[in-house]
mmCIF file of all heavy atoms in Angstrom:
data_model
loop_
_atom_site.group_PDB
_atom_site.id
_atom_site.type_symbol
_atom_site.label_atom_id
_atom_site.label_comp_id
_atom_site.label_asym_id
_atom_site.label_seq_id
_atom_site.Cartn_x
_atom_site.Cartn_y
_atom_site.Cartn_z
ATOM 1 N N GLN U 40 -15.102 -29.398 53.888
ATOM 2 C CA GLN U 40 -14.928 -29.934 55.231
ATOM 3 C C GLN U 40 -14.365 -28.874 56.186
ATOM 4 O O GLN U 40 -14.547 -28.973 57.402
ATOM 5 C CB GLN U 40 -13.976 -31.139 55.188
ATOM 6 C CG GLN U 40 -14.506 -32.322 54.393
ATOM 7 C CD GLN U 40 -15.762 -32.913 55.004
ATOM 8 O OE1 GLN U 40 -15.843 -33.130 56.206
ATOM 9 N NE2 GLN U 40 -16.754 -33.172 54.167
ATOM 10 N N VAL U 41 -13.683 -27.884 55.636
ATOM 11 C CA VAL U 41 -13.117 -26.795 56.456
ATOM 12 C C VAL U 41 -13.506 -25.464 55.822
ATOM 13 O O VAL U 41 -12.673 -24.780 55.218
ATOM 14 C CB VAL U 41 -11.579 -26.936 56.592
ATOM 15 C CG1 VAL U 41 -11.201 -27.950 57.630
ATOM 16 C CG2 VAL U 41 -10.927 -27.271 55.250
ATOM 17 N N GLY U 209 -3.998 -32.603 41.936
ATOM 18 C CA GLY U 209 -3.884 -33.322 43.198
ATOM 19 C C GLY U 209 -5.257 -33.781 43.668
ATOM 20 O O GLY U 209 -6.283 -33.220 43.288
ATOM 21 N N GLN U 210 -5.258 -34.806 44.485
ATOM 22 C CA GLN U 210 -6.503 -35.279 45.100
ATOM 23 C C GLN U 210 -6.299 -35.351 46.604
ATOM 24 O O GLN U 210 -5.171 -35.299 47.097
ATOM 25 C CB GLN U 210 -6.903 -36.648 44.534
ATOM 26 C CG GLN U 210 -7.305 -36.586 43.076
ATOM 27 C CD GLN U 210 -7.794 -37.921 42.540
ATOM 28 O OE1 GLN U 210 -7.085 -38.586 41.813
ATOM 29 N NE2 GLN U 210 -9.011 -38.301 42.888
ATOM 30 N N TYR U 211 -7.397 -35.441 47.342
ATOM 31 C CA TYR U 211 -7.275 -35.458 48.804
ATOM 32 C C TYR U 211 -7.338 -36.884 49.330
ATOM 33 O O TYR U 211 -8.058 -37.210 50.256
ATOM 34 C CB TYR U 211 -8.330 -34.568 49.446
ATOM 35 C CG TYR U 211 -9.774 -34.863 49.114
ATOM 36 C CD1 TYR U 211 -10.695 -35.174 50.107
ATOM 37 C CD2 TYR U 211 -10.239 -34.783 47.807
ATOM 38 C CE1 TYR U 211 -12.024 -35.419 49.809
ATOM 39 C CE2 TYR U 211 -11.560 -35.029 47.500
ATOM 40 C CZ TYR U 211 -12.446 -35.343 48.506
ATOM 41 O OH TYR U 211 -13.767 -35.587 48.209
ATOM 42 N N LEU U 212 -6.538 -37.753 48.721
ATOM 43 C CA LEU U 212 -6.536 -39.165 49.083
ATOM 44 C C LEU U 212 -6.036 -39.371 50.507
ATOM 45 O O LEU U 212 -6.556 -40.219 51.237
ATOM 46 C CB LEU U 212 -5.674 -39.948 48.097
ATOM 47 C CG LEU U 212 -6.055 -39.793 46.614
ATOM 48 C CD1 LEU U 212 -5.091 -40.577 45.737
ATOM 49 C CD2 LEU U 212 -7.479 -40.244 46.383
ATOM 50 N N GLY U 213 -5.027 -38.586 50.915
ATOM 51 C CA GLY U 213 -4.539 -38.688 52.276
ATOM 52 C C GLY U 213 -5.568 -38.208 53.276
ATOM 53 O O GLY U 213 -5.799 -38.843 54.313
ATOM 54 N N SER U 214 -6.235 -37.096 52.962
ATOM 55 C CA SER U 214 -7.249 -36.554 53.868
ATOM 56 C C SER U 214 -8.433 -37.500 54.013
ATOM 57 O O SER U 214 -9.091 -37.542 55.051
ATOM 58 C CB SER U 214 -7.744 -35.194 53.346
ATOM 59 O OG SER U 214 -6.671 -34.290 53.232
ATOM 60 N N LEU U 215 -8.716 -38.281 52.979
ATOM 61 C CA LEU U 215 -9.815 -39.248 53.032
ATOM 62 C C LEU U 215 -9.400 -40.557 53.697
ATOM 63 O O LEU U 215 -10.234 -41.445 53.879
ATOM 64 C CB LEU U 215 -10.325 -39.545 51.610
ATOM 65 C CG LEU U 215 -11.110 -38.438 50.919
ATOM 66 C CD1 LEU U 215 -11.451 -38.849 49.494
ATOM 67 C CD2 LEU U 215 -12.378 -38.105 51.686
ATOM 68 N N GLY U 216 -8.126 -40.685 54.032
ATOM 69 C CA GLY U 216 -7.657 -41.910 54.649
ATOM 70 C C GLY U 216 -7.429 -43.040 53.669
ATOM 71 O O GLY U 216 -7.293 -44.199 54.064
ATOM 72 N N LEU U 217 -7.385 -42.729 52.350
ATOM 73 C CA LEU U 217 -7.174 -43.767 51.344
ATOM 74 C C LEU U 217 -5.708 -44.140 51.209
ATOM 75 O O LEU U 217 -5.376 -45.192 50.663
ATOM 76 C CB LEU U 217 -7.743 -43.316 49.995
ATOM 77 C CG LEU U 217 -9.239 -42.990 49.976
ATOM 78 C CD1 LEU U 217 -9.666 -42.549 48.585
ATOM 79 C CD2 LEU U 217 -10.059 -44.186 50.434
ATOM 80 N N MET U 218 -4.814 -43.258 51.663
ATOM 81 C CA MET U 218 -3.383 -43.559 51.705
ATOM 82 C C MET U 218 -2.749 -42.580 52.676
ATOM 83 O O MET U 218 -3.359 -41.557 53.032
ATOM 84 C CB MET U 218 -2.746 -43.459 50.313
ATOM 85 C CG MET U 218 -2.909 -42.129 49.622
ATOM 86 S SD MET U 218 -2.014 -42.033 48.032
ATOM 87 C CE MET U 218 -2.676 -43.396 47.126
ATOM 88 N N ASP U 219 -1.532 -42.880 53.127
ATOM 89 C CA ASP U 219 -0.884 -41.946 54.045
ATOM 90 C C ASP U 219 -0.167 -40.849 53.260
ATOM 91 O O ASP U 219 -0.092 -40.879 52.031
ATOM 92 C CB ASP U 219 0.059 -42.673 55.005
ATOM 93 C CG ASP U 219 1.211 -43.389 54.310
ATOM 94 O OD1 ASP U 219 1.701 -42.886 53.280
ATOM 95 O OD2 ASP U 219 1.621 -44.455 54.806
ATOM 96 N N ALA U 220 0.377 -39.870 53.990
ATOM 97 C CA ALA U 220 0.968 -38.693 53.351
ATOM 98 C C ALA U 220 2.158 -39.066 52.467
ATOM 99 O O ALA U 220 2.334 -38.502 51.377
ATOM 100 C CB ALA U 220 1.391 -37.691 54.420
ATOM 101 N N ASP U 221 2.971 -40.008 52.924
ATOM 102 C CA ASP U 221 4.141 -40.407 52.133
ATOM 103 C C ASP U 221 3.727 -41.094 50.838
ATOM 104 O O ASP U 221 4.329 -40.879 49.779
ATOM 105 C CB ASP U 221 5.047 -41.330 52.948
ATOM 106 C CG ASP U 221 5.791 -40.589 54.046
ATOM 107 O OD1 ASP U 221 5.949 -39.364 53.912
ATOM 108 O OD2 ASP U 221 6.186 -41.225 55.038
ATOM 109 N N GLU U 222 2.703 -41.943 50.914
ATOM 110 C CA GLU U 222 2.217 -42.631 49.719
ATOM 111 C C GLU U 222 1.643 -41.627 48.721
ATOM 112 O O GLU U 222 1.856 -41.748 47.508
ATOM 113 C CB GLU U 222 1.156 -43.661 50.100
ATOM 114 C CG GLU U 222 1.702 -44.868 50.841
ATOM 115 C CD GLU U 222 0.607 -45.761 51.382
ATOM 116 O OE1 GLU U 222 -0.497 -45.247 51.698
ATOM 117 O OE2 GLU U 222 0.837 -46.977 51.518
ATOM 118 N N GLU U 223 0.927 -40.626 49.235
ATOM 119 C CA GLU U 223 0.359 -39.612 48.348
ATOM 120 C C GLU U 223 1.470 -38.787 47.700
ATOM 121 O O GLU U 223 1.393 -38.441 46.516
ATOM 122 C CB GLU U 223 -0.606 -38.709 49.115
ATOM 123 C CG GLU U 223 -1.393 -37.772 48.228
ATOM 124 C CD GLU U 223 -2.557 -37.123 48.953
ATOM 125 O OE1 GLU U 223 -2.520 -37.033 50.197
ATOM 126 O OE2 GLU U 223 -3.511 -36.716 48.273
ATOM 127 N N PHE U 224 2.516 -38.481 48.466
ATOM 128 C CA PHE U 224 3.649 -37.748 47.909
ATOM 129 C C PHE U 224 4.317 -38.550 46.795
ATOM 130 O O PHE U 224 4.640 -38.019 45.730
ATOM 131 C CB PHE U 224 4.659 -37.432 49.016
ATOM 132 C CG PHE U 224 5.880 -36.716 48.525
ATOM 133 C CD1 PHE U 224 5.835 -35.364 48.225
ATOM 134 C CD2 PHE U 224 7.072 -37.395 48.337
ATOM 135 C CE1 PHE U 224 6.959 -34.698 47.755
ATOM 136 C CE2 PHE U 224 8.199 -36.741 47.871
ATOM 137 C CZ PHE U 224 8.143 -35.395 47.578
ATOM 138 N N HIS U 227 2.415 -38.340 43.654
ATOM 139 C CA HIS U 227 2.634 -37.086 42.944
ATOM 140 C C HIS U 227 3.993 -37.083 42.242
ATOM 141 O O HIS U 227 4.134 -36.506 41.157
ATOM 142 C CB HIS U 227 2.529 -35.911 43.917
ATOM 143 C CG HIS U 227 1.126 -35.625 44.360
ATOM 144 N ND1 HIS U 227 0.810 -35.155 45.614
ATOM 145 C CD2 HIS U 227 -0.054 -35.775 43.713
ATOM 146 C CE1 HIS U 227 -0.495 -35.007 45.711
ATOM 147 N NE2 HIS U 227 -1.041 -35.371 44.564
ATOM 148 N N ALA U 246 -3.849 -28.304 43.633
ATOM 149 C CA ALA U 246 -4.341 -29.171 44.700
ATOM 150 C C ALA U 246 -5.858 -29.240 44.646
ATOM 151 O O ALA U 246 -6.531 -28.337 44.129
ATOM 152 C CB ALA U 246 -3.885 -28.636 46.058
ATOM 153 N N HIS U 247 -6.426 -30.335 45.161
ATOM 154 C CA HIS U 247 -7.876 -30.478 45.216
ATOM 155 C C HIS U 247 -8.446 -29.401 46.134
ATOM 156 O O HIS U 247 -7.882 -29.098 47.189
ATOM 157 C CB HIS U 247 -8.243 -31.864 45.753
ATOM 158 C CG HIS U 247 -9.700 -32.188 45.615
ATOM 159 N ND1 HIS U 247 -10.648 -31.712 46.497
ATOM 160 C CD2 HIS U 247 -10.372 -32.936 44.716
ATOM 161 C CE1 HIS U 247 -11.839 -32.157 46.135
ATOM 162 N NE2 HIS U 247 -11.699 -32.900 45.056
ATOM 163 N N PRO U 248 -9.589 -28.775 45.774
ATOM 164 C CA PRO U 248 -10.138 -27.687 46.600
ATOM 165 C C PRO U 248 -10.519 -28.127 48.005
ATOM 166 O O PRO U 248 -10.582 -27.299 48.917
ATOM 167 C CB PRO U 248 -11.378 -27.232 45.805
ATOM 168 C CG PRO U 248 -11.668 -28.336 44.842
ATOM 169 C CD PRO U 248 -10.364 -28.972 44.531
ATOM 170 N N SER U 249 -10.796 -29.422 48.223
ATOM 171 C CA SER U 249 -11.159 -29.904 49.562
ATOM 172 C C SER U 249 -9.969 -30.448 50.329
ATOM 173 O O SER U 249 -10.108 -30.924 51.443
ATOM 174 C CB SER U 249 -12.236 -30.995 49.450
ATOM 175 O OG SER U 249 -13.414 -30.478 48.893
ATOM 176 N N ALA U 250 -8.781 -30.407 49.711
ATOM 177 C CA ALA U 250 -7.607 -30.990 50.351
ATOM 178 C C ALA U 250 -7.055 -30.064 51.426
ATOM 179 O O ALA U 250 -7.207 -28.848 51.377
ATOM 180 C CB ALA U 250 -6.535 -31.273 49.305
ATOM 181 N N SER U 251 -6.406 -30.681 52.419
ATOM 182 C CA SER U 251 -5.707 -29.898 53.427
ATOM 183 C C SER U 251 -4.356 -29.460 52.854
ATOM 184 O O SER U 251 -4.018 -29.788 51.717
ATOM 185 C CB SER U 251 -5.510 -30.736 54.686
ATOM 186 O OG SER U 251 -4.787 -31.904 54.375
ATOM 187 N N ALA U 252 -3.598 -28.720 53.652
ATOM 188 C CA ALA U 252 -2.285 -28.260 53.183
ATOM 189 C C ALA U 252 -1.403 -29.456 52.826
ATOM 190 O O ALA U 252 -1.314 -30.425 53.546
ATOM 191 C CB ALA U 252 -1.633 -27.436 54.278
ATOM 192 N N THR U 253 -0.750 -29.400 51.689
ATOM 193 C CA THR U 253 0.066 -30.522 51.220
ATOM 194 C C THR U 253 1.533 -30.155 51.225
ATOM 195 O O THR U 253 1.932 -29.026 51.535
ATOM 196 C CB THR U 253 -0.349 -30.923 49.791
ATOM 197 O OG1 THR U 253 -0.067 -29.828 48.919
ATOM 198 C CG2 THR U 253 -1.826 -31.269 49.723
ATOM 199 N N SER U 254 2.357 -31.145 50.849
ATOM 200 C CA SER U 254 3.811 -30.922 50.817
ATOM 201 C C SER U 254 4.215 -30.385 49.455
ATOM 202 O O SER U 254 5.110 -30.926 48.805
ATOM 203 C CB SER U 254 4.531 -32.227 51.132
ATOM 204 O OG SER U 254 4.076 -33.247 50.263
ATOM 205 N N MET U 317 -4.676 -48.437 43.644
ATOM 206 C CA MET U 317 -5.818 -47.955 44.412
ATOM 207 C C MET U 317 -7.002 -48.912 44.329
ATOM 208 O O MET U 317 -7.767 -49.046 45.287
ATOM 209 C CB MET U 317 -6.231 -46.570 43.908
ATOM 210 C CG MET U 317 -5.335 -45.434 44.371
ATOM 211 S SD MET U 317 -5.292 -45.262 46.173
ATOM 212 C CE MET U 317 -7.024 -45.014 46.532
ATOM 213 N N ASN U 328 -15.940 -44.190 46.037
ATOM 214 C CA ASN U 328 -14.874 -43.820 45.103
ATOM 215 C C ASN U 328 -14.548 -44.939 44.115
ATOM 216 O O ASN U 328 -13.800 -44.721 43.160
ATOM 217 C CB ASN U 328 -13.598 -43.462 45.874
ATOM 218 C CG ASN U 328 -13.700 -42.135 46.596
ATOM 219 O OD1 ASN U 328 -13.772 -41.085 45.976
ATOM 220 N ND2 ASN U 328 -13.723 -42.181 47.916
#
Side-chain angles (χ1 to χ4, degrees):
Q40 296 296 314
V41 280
Q210 292 184 255
Y211 57 121
L212 305 178
S214 301
L215 288 176
L217 301 180
M218 57 175 57
D219 62 34
D221 288 337
E222 289 171 331
E223 189 167 23
F224 178 77
H227 287 147
H247 190 280
S249 297
S251 58
T253 64
S254 54
M317 283 299 302
N328 288 293

